[in-house]
């Protein structure tokens, strides 16, 4: 293996045709016999006691088969801290809390019935910012924890910190020091395909749930717990993943709507499907966390970084999902982007009565990169240094061991920074009019590229099954959600085994048929799948070559007999070929030293049939492998541990034009240079980059979930804006510095998240370069730029 | 979302249906109405589609330009006389929504929907457009300014059909322009401004300014028109415009920013219009 014939070539993705033809089956397309439609009644208050729920009117709606509440069903507890329940019994803590649900024979009946549920509330005092929540005497979002122990503060019992070196001493020894506070808003993942699931029980009480999830196996564990809560002991959940129209972290946890579908299916004995409409997707699904990040960095008189001090406070909302662990990933950048001898990192996550937050692409990294890379530019300005030169001076190098204990076995940050700098130096045309000013800016990044160990296993299993015709069926438990995993996996299986990609078929992800995988997140899919595929393919090749040693000579003789070439072949002693001599290429098996003649090649399917139908020791060929990366689960109290097998690096540069009269910022061009190891499929990789950059542009300039006392004000695309193609009306230059990572399959590192990490700070730095104002609060709206401009001119 | 759908073939038939059917709405492109129905903000019992009525979709460019209310935004934008004689209208159409929205949406729908941010309204106000309304078998005409009454409110009475928008040909030497700002390309305007200028060797003969998204209806800014002059780089016009609008703070922008932005857009639109008038060179 590792001789790559298809890796690195641009290939259409295997799921493209179905998706283009409208034949992919998203959760929205799936219907089964007897299926009911579930719908949820959400809270009308940010914090209130539920005084009374009357479901009688709802029950009388024709077509309604069940109306359930927290009072009428067993409690299903879930969430990272198990602080959430599927249906709230006596108290709501956020606007989207689930208080009742309906299953009906039509979506219309379900919608009507849900409206007819009468809920009486007694409002309670509520807190909407971390500052309010941490103030003396603040209302408690949770008075007890999941086990009933009383709580005295809104601070979450999750700590993640780090200390290397002596910050005070480093501060004292620094020539220049700059401190700033940088904020990021809640933003929506804005998936094209909204959330949903279909739950169905067998008569024995086993559950099959088709769910839009990125973590089928952790979800299986959660759903099995739910079955136990229903008294269904020793039963199993089977999780099947449909086609997914984007997930971006929304599938990284199980959700109340899934447990509610389970409750409704259990109650009615019928399959129940719940699919969110766009409004629900915006207002009832968890967005990315809002955070405030204080950064202080210092450097010596030459511009060498002396220390970095980072303090994060995150608004968790009312319940705890994986969003609360963003600091675990922030640590990577906080401790290890650029060489810093002294680092302090601390984080606090705070309960509020806002919507609770969850994972989103980048998982803390865009947030902390925004803060650090903005601050670094400010430090360069204070030191009177070119910000590019400062970055180059402090760039990480291959072989570095960072303060967090991260090992950089491949690292081309310097090359990426250099390439961006070169590209930015080429000048463009002058601006149109005196009120428009241009500037350039850049930002660097580091991102986990070989998994991210935040769970006790970060592994992936795979099964490669060969059939009698030389096809390879791949059972892999990771999730294709639009990112191109199946494309990368197809190519890697093809090359690892030695078959054509057309012969590789990826099975639907299903916990019943696929081996365990921790989940598709942390840019880990292709990295893990590829490594697992290489392990399994290597086993298959060994078995195939051992088989070949036995049957090859007979098969060649049969070839020769068929074509009658007996006198020309004696140059090569095919009877002497041993297992170690063989190679499989493009689905044909032959000894490496065999002359390039058709009769020396045995088609894989023929070889497999020979093994299958042999009189002695018949065999079929299926191999499994489990890849667990050589990483450590960090000690979060110390913030130490090599959590990823490899790390991606990169830099982005932008040129902007600022309209000094209106405060508008136009991006004129953007260049992104990335070190993601080897490029697997340039087509899908570019898709990941363009998409990430589009999200980065939105994060930088206009995306924001707006709220008022916990209520979401812009739950739809009319009011919540994401970048559309028309907004990306500037050239985007993508380049890859291909390192060959020793841990990566074919040298590749993960590439799913890094594109959006540096976009916002690069834009902010370009704005500063253009007009000398610094906006530290995302999104950088025209109003904020204008305000900053008028403050500067007043000064 | 339960309603019956009707497809009358003539204006008479449509009027009769509207009179006979309870809780009925006219529909053309549906790009406003269907969104509102989908959001549950309107629950009509009957939709009367005007899309089969040929005379609603014609555009006649003679001494006046008469645009059928059912002409799609795309067809209107593509019309050579509109591009040449009503460039500010063409610019507003080019900025409106997306290609898909313009292919479905109509100019009449844009006005009848009466959004304060309706993009075609400021240029049509600047061009002194009037609307032709069908009431049963009768026709009445109104200046556009009297047609737009408030957010979602027009002068249409129950069952009345907007038939056409009639725009007098701008006099020789008129330049006009439209500018808008949204948060992203496809967004309702935060503020929009249309201006037309006819200059005579630096002295203005006729100046018109209208703004959208900064008051309950798109409106003419007559105070700005009165003081508008190229000699001060249109700054007094900009100041007067800021006085004559009533912007609100919403999810898209603050009132304060809208007020500031409108002044800037007024100055820029007037500058562009003056340059387009071809009678005034920028040689100060
Ligand atoms: C994604 C999107 C983006 C948009 N962007 C913009 C934008 O940038 N700027 C903007 O101004 N608008 C925008 N719109 C709104 C809309 O597209 C326009 O207002 C369009 O011109 C409406 O025309 P229509 O034919 O689709 O109207 P319809 O939805 O068919 O009708 C709108 C209203 O007018 C009434 N009506 C229609 N025709 C008549 C008639 N002849 N007589 C009496 N009443 C009638 C209907 O009953 C309804 O109340 C956007 C819409 C969408 C969905």
């Amino acid at each position: 293996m590792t001789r790559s014939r298809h890796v690195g070539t641009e290939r259409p993705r295997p799921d493209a045709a179905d998706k283009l033809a409208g034949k992919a089956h998203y959760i929205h397309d799936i219907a089964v016999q007897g299926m009911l439609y579930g719908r949820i009644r959400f809270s009308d208050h940010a914090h209130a006691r539920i005084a009374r729920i009357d479901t009688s009117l709802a029950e009388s709606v024709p077509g309604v088969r069940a109306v359930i509440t927290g009072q009428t069903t067993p409690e299903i507890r879930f969430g990272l801290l198990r602080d959430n329940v599927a249906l709230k019994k006596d108290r709501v803590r956020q606007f989207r809390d689930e208080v009742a649900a309906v299953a009906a024979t039509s979506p219309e009946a379900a919608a009507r019935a849900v409206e007819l549920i009468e809920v009486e509330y007694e409002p309670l005092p509520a807190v909407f910012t971390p500052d309010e929540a941490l103030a003396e005497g603040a209302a408690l979002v949770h008075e007890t924890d999941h086990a009933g122990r009383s709580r005295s503060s809104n601070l979450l019992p999750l700590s993640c910190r780090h200390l290397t070196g002596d910050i005070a001493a480093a501060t004292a020894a620094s020539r220049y020091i700059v401190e700033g506070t940088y904020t990021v808003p809640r933003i929506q993942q804005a998936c094209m395909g909204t959330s949903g699931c279909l739950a169905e029980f067998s008569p024995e009480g086993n559950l099959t749930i088709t769910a839009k999830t990125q973590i089928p196996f952790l979800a299986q564990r959660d759903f099995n717990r739910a079955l136990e809560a229903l008294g269904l002991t020793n039963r199993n959940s089977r999780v099947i993943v449909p086609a997914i129209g984007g997930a971006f972290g929304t599938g990284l946890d199980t959700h109340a709507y899934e447990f509610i579908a389970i409750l409704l299916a259990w109650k009615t004995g019928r399959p129940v499907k719940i699919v969110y409409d766009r409004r629900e997707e915006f207002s009832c699904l968890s967005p990315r966390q809002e955070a405030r990040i204080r950064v202080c960095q210092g450097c010596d008189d030459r511009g060498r970084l002396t220390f970095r001090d980072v303090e994060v406070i995150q608004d968790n909302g009312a319940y705890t999902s994986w969003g609360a662990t963003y600091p675990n990933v922030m640590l990577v950048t906080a401790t290890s982007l650029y060489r810093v001898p002294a680092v302090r990192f601390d984080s606090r996550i705070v309960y509020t009565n806002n919507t609770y937050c969850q994972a989103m692409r980048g998982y803390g990294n865009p947030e902390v990169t925004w803060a650090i890379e903005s601050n670094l530019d400010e430090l360069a300005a204070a030191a009177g240094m070119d910000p590019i030169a400062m970055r180059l001076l402090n760039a990480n190098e291959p072989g570095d061991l960072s303060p967090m204990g991260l090992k950089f076995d491949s690292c081309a940050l310097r090359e990426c920074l250099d390439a961006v700098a070169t590209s930015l130096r080429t000048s463009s045309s002058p601006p149109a009019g005196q009120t428009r000013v241009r500037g350039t800016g850049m930002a660097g990044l580091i991102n986990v590229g070989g998994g991210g160990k935040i769970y006790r296993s970060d592994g992936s299993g795979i099964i490669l099954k060969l059939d009698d015709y030389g096809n390879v069926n791949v059972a892999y438990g990771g999730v294709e959600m639009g990112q191109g995993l199946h494309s990368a996996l197809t190519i890697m299986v093809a090359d690892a085994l030695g078959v054509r990609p057309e012969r590789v078929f990826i099975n639907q992800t299903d916990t019943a048929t696929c081996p365990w995988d921790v989940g598709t997140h942390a840019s880990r899919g292709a990295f893990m799948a590829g490594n697992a595929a290489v392990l399994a393919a290597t086993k298959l090749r060994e078995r195939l070559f051992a088989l070949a040693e036995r049957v090859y000579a007979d098969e060649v003789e049969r070839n020769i007999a068929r074509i009658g070439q007996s006198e020309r072949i004696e140059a090569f002693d095919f009877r002497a070929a041993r297992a170690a001599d063989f190679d499989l290429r493009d689905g044909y098996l032959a000894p490496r030293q065999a002359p390039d003649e058709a009769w020396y090649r045995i088609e894989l399917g023929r070889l497999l049939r020979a093994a299958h139908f042999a009189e002695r020791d018949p065999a079929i060929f299926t191999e499994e492998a489990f890849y667990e990366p050589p990483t450590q689960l960090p000690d979060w109290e110390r913030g130490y541990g090599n959590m990823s097998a490899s790390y991606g690096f990169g830099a982005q540069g932008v040129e902007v034009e600022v309209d000094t009269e209106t405060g508008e910022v136009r991006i004129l061009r953007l260049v992104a240079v990335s070190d993601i190891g080897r490029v697997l499929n340039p087509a899908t990789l570019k898709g990941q980059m363009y998409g990430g950059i589009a999200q980065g542009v939105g994060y930088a300039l206009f995306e924001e979930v707006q709220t008022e006392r916990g209520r979401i004000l812009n739950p739809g695309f009319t009011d919540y804006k994401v970048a559309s193609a028309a907004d990306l009306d500037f050239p985007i230059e993508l380049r890859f510095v291909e390192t060959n990572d020793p841990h990566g399959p074919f040298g590749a590192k993960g590439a799913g998240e890094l594109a959006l990490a540096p976009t916002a700070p690069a834009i902010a730095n370009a704005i500063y370069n253009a007009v000398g104002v610094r906006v530290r609060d995302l999104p950088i709206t025209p109003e904020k730029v204008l305000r900053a401009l008028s403050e500067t001119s007043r000064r | 979302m339960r309603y019956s759908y009707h497809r009358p073939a003539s204006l008479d038939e449509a009027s009769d249906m509207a009179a006979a059917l309870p809780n009925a709405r006219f529909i053309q492109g549906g790009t406003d109405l269907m969104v509102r129905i989908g959001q549950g903000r309107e629950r009509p019992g009957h939709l009367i589609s005007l899309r089969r009525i040929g005379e609603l979709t014609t555009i006649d460019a003679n001494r006046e330009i008469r645009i059928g209310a059912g002409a799609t935004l795309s067809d209107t934008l593509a019309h050579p006389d509109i591009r040449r004689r009503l460039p500010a209208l063409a610019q507003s159409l080019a900025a409106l929504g997306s290609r898909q929205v313009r292919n479905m949406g109509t100019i009449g729908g844009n006005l009848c929907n009466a959004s304060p941010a309706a993009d075609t309204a400021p240029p049509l106000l600047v061009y002194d457009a009037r609307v032709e309304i069908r009431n049963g078998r009768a026709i009445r005409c109104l200046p556009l300014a009297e047609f737009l009454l408030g957010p979602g409110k027009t002068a249409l009475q129950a069952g009345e059909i907007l038939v056409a928008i009639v725009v007098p040909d701008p006099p020789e030497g008129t330049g006009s322009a439209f500018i808008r700002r949204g948060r992203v390309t496809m967004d309702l305007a935060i503020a929009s401004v249309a201006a037309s200028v006819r200059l005579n060797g630096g002295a203005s003969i006729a100046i018109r300014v209208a703004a959208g998204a900064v008051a309950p209806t798109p409106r003419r800014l007559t105070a700005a028109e009165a003081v508008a002059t190229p000699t001060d780089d249109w700054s007094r016009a900009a100041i007067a415009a800021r006085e004559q609008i009533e912007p609100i703070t919403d999810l898209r922008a603050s009132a304060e920013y809208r007020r500031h932005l409108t002044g800037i857009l007024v100055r820029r639109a007037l500058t562009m219009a003056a340059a387009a008038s071809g009678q005034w060179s920028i040689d100060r």
Side-chain angles (χ1 to χ4, degrees):
Chain A
M1 84 105 221
T2 61
R3 194 199 41 230
S4 40
R5 288 173 72 74
H6 304 290
V7 161
T9 62
E10 193 140 307
R11 292 185 61 83
R13 34 193 304 162
D15 52 340
D18 268 359
K19 285 177 176 169
L20 283 174
K23 290 189 169 169
H25 288 205
Y26 298 90
I27 187 68
H28 313 72
D29 305 310
I30 297 172
V32 295
Q33 196 68 36
M35 184 177 89
L36 299 175
Y37 298 85
R39 197 159 174 103
I40 299 168
R41 173 65 179 264
F42 297 98
S43 162
D44 304 313
H45 290 266
H47 198 189
R49 205 173 303 289
I50 302 173
R52 193 179 63 93
I53 304 182
D54 185 346
T55 59
S56 50
L57 277 177
E59 277 156 28
S60 67
V61 171
V64 166
R65 292 291 177 270
V67 184
I68 59 172
T69 69
Q71 296 290 349
T72 63
T73 51
E75 176 180 281
I76 296 178
R77 205 158 256 293
F78 70 102
L80 189 71
L81 297 180
R82 307 187 63 67
D83 55 5
N84 202 353
V85 292
L87 283 166
K88 280 56 180 182
K89 213 180 263 173
D90 45 18
R91 198 156 141 185
V92 292
R93 297 180 168 85
Q94 53 170 357
F95 265 100
R96 49 178 276 214
D97 259 342
E98 299 80 5
V99 295
V102 171
T105 50
S106 72
E108 292 81 9
R112 199 134 44 86
V114 147
E115 280 176 33
L116 292 174
I117 297 171
E118 289 171 28
V119 190
E120 247 175 55
Y121 296 97
E122 290 162 11
L124 294 167
V127 287
F128 299 109
T129 64
D131 291 341
E132 273 174 43
L134 294 179
E136 193 78 32
L140 286 178
V141 178
H142 292 270
E143 277 158 357
T144 55
D145 71 5
H146 65 95
R149 290 174 295 241
S150 76
R151 296 179 42 87
S152 57
S153 134
N154 284 316
L155 202 59
L156 265 73
L158 291 174
S159 69
C160 177
R161 53 173 70 101
H162 176 92
L163 181 65
T164 291
D166 182 339
I167 299 293
T171 307
S174 298
R175 177 77 174 79
Y176 303 99
I177 296 172
V178 171
E179 176 174 335
T181 297
Y182 308 84
T183 57
V184 291
R186 257 175 233 107
I187 63 166
Q188 238 275 334
Q189 296 83 352
C191 308
M192 284 287 263
T194 57
S195 305
C197 68
L198 167 62
E200 180 171 12
F201 279 97
S202 74
E204 297 80 20
N206 290 312
L207 171 73
T208 298
I209 180 163
T210 304
K212 187 191 170 190
T213 182
Q214 296 169 251
I215 46 152
F217 295 89
L218 298 188
Q220 180 190 22
R221 177 202 60 178
D222 290 0
F223 296 146
N224 281 349
R225 281 186 186 157
L227 297 188
E228 270 174 34
L230 298 182
L232 298 169
T233 47
N234 293 320
R235 302 302 203 288
N236 182 43
S237 313
R238 173 180 180 183
V239 181
I240 299 175
V241 182
I244 290 182
F248 302 113
T250 60
L252 219 61
D253 207 343
T254 44
H255 299 270
Y257 73 80
E258 292 165 330
F259 298 109
I260 289 171
I262 292 170
L263 282 169
L264 288 167
W266 171 72
K267 190 93 174 180
T268 59
R270 306 252 302 250
V272 174
K273 178 161 111 165
I274 294 183
V275 173
Y276 274 2
D277 61 26
R278 185 58 64 187
R279 197 186 166 78
E280 289 170 322
E281 182 82 1
F282 266 101
S283 49
C284 307
L285 198 74
S286 296
R288 167 169 233 140
Q289 306 228 359
E290 185 178 286
R292 190 169 75 214
I293 305 171
R294 189 188 63 81
V295 177
C296 187
Q297 295 182 103
C299 66
D300 63 18
D301 50 4
R302 293 172 49 211
R304 239 175 248 287
L305 288 173
T306 45
F307 76 95
R308 178 182 291 156
D309 189 6
V310 180
E311 206 181 335
V312 180
I313 184 160
Q314 264 183 214
D315 181 342
N316 187 56
Y319 303 99
T320 311
S321 179
W322 289 94
T325 66
Y326 282 9
N328 298 357
V329 171
M330 290 182 176
L331 265 179
V332 170
T333 295
T335 60
S336 312
L337 176 61
Y338 307 115
R339 288 173 161 177
V340 203
V343 184
R344 196 179 75 94
F345 177 87
D346 205 356
S347 58
R348 285 177 301 164
I349 321 291
V350 186
Y351 278 126
T352 65
N353 294 107
N354 290 315
T355 184
Y356 83 86
C357 297
Q358 66 177 343
M360 185 175 168
R361 192 179 196 176
Y363 207 99
N365 198 19
E367 289 86 340
V368 77
T369 304
W370 154 246
I372 287 174
E373 280 291 37
S374 292
N375 185 262
L376 195 73
D377 246 50
E378 295 188 60
L379 183 63
M385 257 185 104
D386 172 15
I388 295 174
M390 180 174 259
R391 288 184 170 88
L392 283 169
L393 184 69
N394 291 287
N396 311 94
E397 299 291 345
D400 278 6
L401 181 71
S402 87
M404 189 186 169
L406 312 183
K407 288 201 207 71
F408 301 150
D409 291 324
S410 67
C411 168
L413 178 60
R414 172 176 302 284
E415 291 83 340
C416 294
L417 291 166
D418 250 334
V420 166
T422 307
S423 169
L424 285 183
R425 270 196 293 273
T426 63
S427 60
S428 58
S429 55
Q434 313 140 336
T435 67
R436 298 196 164 101
V437 188
R438 292 183 175 185
T440 57
M442 72 169 341
L445 81 102
I446 176 175
N447 201 81
V448 293
K453 193 156 184 167
I454 56 171
Y455 186 72
R456 53 204 160 134
S457 166
D458 199 20
S460 277
I462 201 165
I463 297 171
L464 301 183
K465 180 177 83 69
L466 300 183
D467 67 13
D468 283 355
Y469 313 100
N471 299 303
V472 193
N473 282 103
V474 182
Y476 178 66
V479 172
E480 170 64 68
M481 48 202 168
Q483 83 276 39
L485 170 64
H486 285 183
S487 150
L489 184 50
T490 299
I491 293 173
M492 289 190 288
V493 167
D495 274 0
L497 194 58
V499 298
R500 296 203 49 80
E502 298 76 39
R503 291 297 199 176
V504 178
F505 299 89
I506 316 274
N507 291 356
Q508 182 168 25
T509 301
D510 180 339
T511 55
T513 57
C514 298
W516 192 87
D517 171 70
V518 73
T520 304
H521 57 82
S523 303
R524 69 187 286 287
F527 181 92
M528 296 294 162
N531 273 320
V534 167
L535 291 178
T538 305
K539 290 198 217 172
L540 273 176
R541 285 167 66 93
E542 276 168 18
R543 281 186 60 199
L544 288 169
F545 299 156
L547 168 71
E549 189 176 299
R550 284 197 283 130
V551 303
Y552 180 70
D554 288 353
E555 297 295 331
V556 172
E557 263 163 18
R558 215 165 288 155
N559 277 347
I560 291 165
R562 198 175 306 151
I563 50 179
Q565 289 277 359
S566 47
E567 75 287 357
R568 282 178 49 196
I569 54 174
E570 292 310 322
F572 171 57
D573 183 7
F574 60 86
R575 288 176 196 84
R578 293 291 156 263
D581 300 332
F582 284 101
D583 191 14
L584 181 63
R585 258 183 103 174
D586 281 347
Y588 285 88
L589 188 114
R592 276 189 199 80
Q593 65 273 33
D596 189 19
E597 301 286 2
W599 51 89
Y600 290 129
R601 290 196 289 271
I602 311 298
E603 195 261 320
L604 177 60
R606 194 168 128 197
L607 187 76
L608 290 164
R609 287 192 296 275
H612 183 175
F613 302 112
E615 276 177 19
R616 242 172 18 116
D617 303 331
I620 56 173
F621 285 72
T622 297
E623 284 295 339
E624 57 88 22
F626 182 67
Y627 173 74
E628 182 74 50
T631 53
Q632 299 162 305
L633 181 64
D635 170 353
W636 303 120
E637 276 298 328
R638 285 173 54 224
Y640 193 89
N642 190 29
M643 70 192 287
S644 186
S646 58
Y647 297 86
F649 295 88
Q652 282 179 26
V654 287
E655 183 176 10
V656 300
E657 183 174 284
V658 181
D659 185 326
T660 54
E661 285 187 324
T662 63
E664 288 163 292
V665 175
R666 233 185 88 208
I667 299 174
L668 302 173
R669 61 199 173 104
L670 188 148
V671 52
V673 185
S674 314
D675 160 19
I676 46 82
R678 271 287 290 293
V679 174
L680 295 172
N681 181 353
T684 49
L685 178 61
K686 280 187 253 172
Q688 285 296 290
M689 295 300 300
Y690 289 132
I693 288 165
Q695 283 176 322
V697 167
Y699 199 37
L701 298 178
F702 40 79
E703 284 195 46
E704 179 170 19
V705 174
Q706 302 191 49
T707 63
E708 185 179 74
R709 298 189 64 73
R711 189 195 288 275
I712 291 171
L713 300 174
N714 52 345
F717 285 122
T718 309
D719 292 320
Y720 184 98
K721 285 298 169 189
V722 297
S724 68
D727 299 304
L728 302 178
D729 61 344
F730 48 86
I732 298 177
E733 182 189 340
L734 296 182
R735 273 196 275 157
F736 300 96
V737 179
E738 286 192 87
T739 53
N740 193 355
D741 190 84
H743 305 287
F746 301 91
K749 305 192 264 194
E753 296 171 298
L754 81 187
L756 79 124
T759 315
I763 291 171
N765 293 341
I767 294 169
Y768 177 81
N769 180 249
V771 292
V773 303
R774 173 71 55 186
V775 180
R776 299 186 183 83
D777 175 38
L778 293 183
I780 307 172
T781 59
E783 300 203 46
K784 290 180 193 169
V785 174
L786 201 61
R787 205 177 307 132
L789 280 168
S790 69
E791 278 162 15
T792 330
S793 64
R794 236 179 282 133
R795 243 185 262 135
Chain B
M1 242 198 265
R2 293 275 153 89
Y3 44 77
S4 35
Y5 193 77
H6 310 268
R7 301 178 66 226
S10 70
L11 280 171
D12 285 350
E13 202 189 329
S15 292
D16 294 346
M17 275 183 181
L21 298 169
N23 191 17
R25 291 279 185 295
F26 294 118
I27 181 167
Q28 294 194 146
T31 60
D32 276 315
L33 187 59
M34 293 313 294
V35 174
R36 297 174 62 79
I37 291 175
Q39 292 170 340
R41 284 153 69 191
E42 282 199 53
R43 294 165 197 259
H46 300 270
L47 294 185
I48 304 171
S49 167
L50 304 176
R51 297 169 59 120
R52 267 176 76 200
I53 305 171
E55 66 186 281
L56 279 182
T57 61
T58 50
I59 300 176
D60 295 315
N62 300 314
R63 219 164 22 75
E64 297 188 314
I65 299 169
R66 189 176 179 283
I67 310 167
T72 64
L73 300 163
S74 298
D75 287 347
T76 314
L77 174 58
H79 199 282
D81 283 284
I82 288 177
R83 298 180 92 95
R84 193 165 48 82
R85 289 151 70 179
L86 307 176
L89 179 61
Q91 286 158 16
S92 78
L93 291 164
L96 194 157
S98 61
R99 190 173 291 260
Q100 294 93 323
V101 168
R102 293 194 293 270
N103 285 344
M104 287 301 291
T106 61
I107 190 159
N110 192 239
L111 296 177
C112 291
N113 190 57
S115 160
D119 277 321
T120 64
L124 289 171
L125 285 170
V126 152
Y127 292 131
D128 263 333
R130 57 181 199 278
V131 292
E132 235 178 76
I133 297 167
R134 176 90 176 229
N135 184 331
R137 301 292 184 271
I139 290 276
R140 64 182 181 117
C141 279
L142 275 182
L144 178 60
E146 289 170 34
F147 178 78
L148 302 168
L149 300 182
K153 270 221 300 265
T154 65
L156 286 175
Q157 286 152 24
E160 283 191 329
I161 301 173
L162 177 67
V163 179
I165 297 103
V166 186
V167 189
D169 205 8
E172 195 67 27
T174 304
S176 58
F178 172 85
I179 315 181
R180 85 197 295 268
R181 287 294 184 269
R183 291 167 301 175
V184 293
T185 311
M186 198 163 84
D187 191 14
L188 291 177
I190 288 172
S192 63
V193 170
S196 79
V197 173
R198 189 150 65 98
L199 292 169
N200 189 1
S204 47
I205 297 178
I207 289 183
R208 298 236 164 77
V209 185
V214 290
T217 64
R219 65 163 60 151
R220 276 274 293 277
L221 302 181
T222 46
E225 293 170 1
V227 297
T229 165
T231 54
D232 68 355
D233 200 18
W234 311 106
S235 12
R236 269 189 300 159
I239 293 165
R242 288 185 178 128
E243 298 288 300
Q244 212 191 338
I245 58 176
E246 300 167 73
I248 57 163
T249 294
D250 65 10
L251 294 166
R252 299 202 295 282
S254 70
E256 189 191 3
Y257 183 70
R258 283 196 159 96
R259 202 177 286 284
H260 169 82
L261 182 63
T262 304
I264 304 288
L265 297 186
V266 162
R267 192 149 49 71
R268 291 186 184 177
L270 281 165
T271 307
M272 284 165 63
S277 79
Q279 302 225 346
W280 182 67
S281 56
I282 315 164
D283 57 351
R284 283 155 300 148

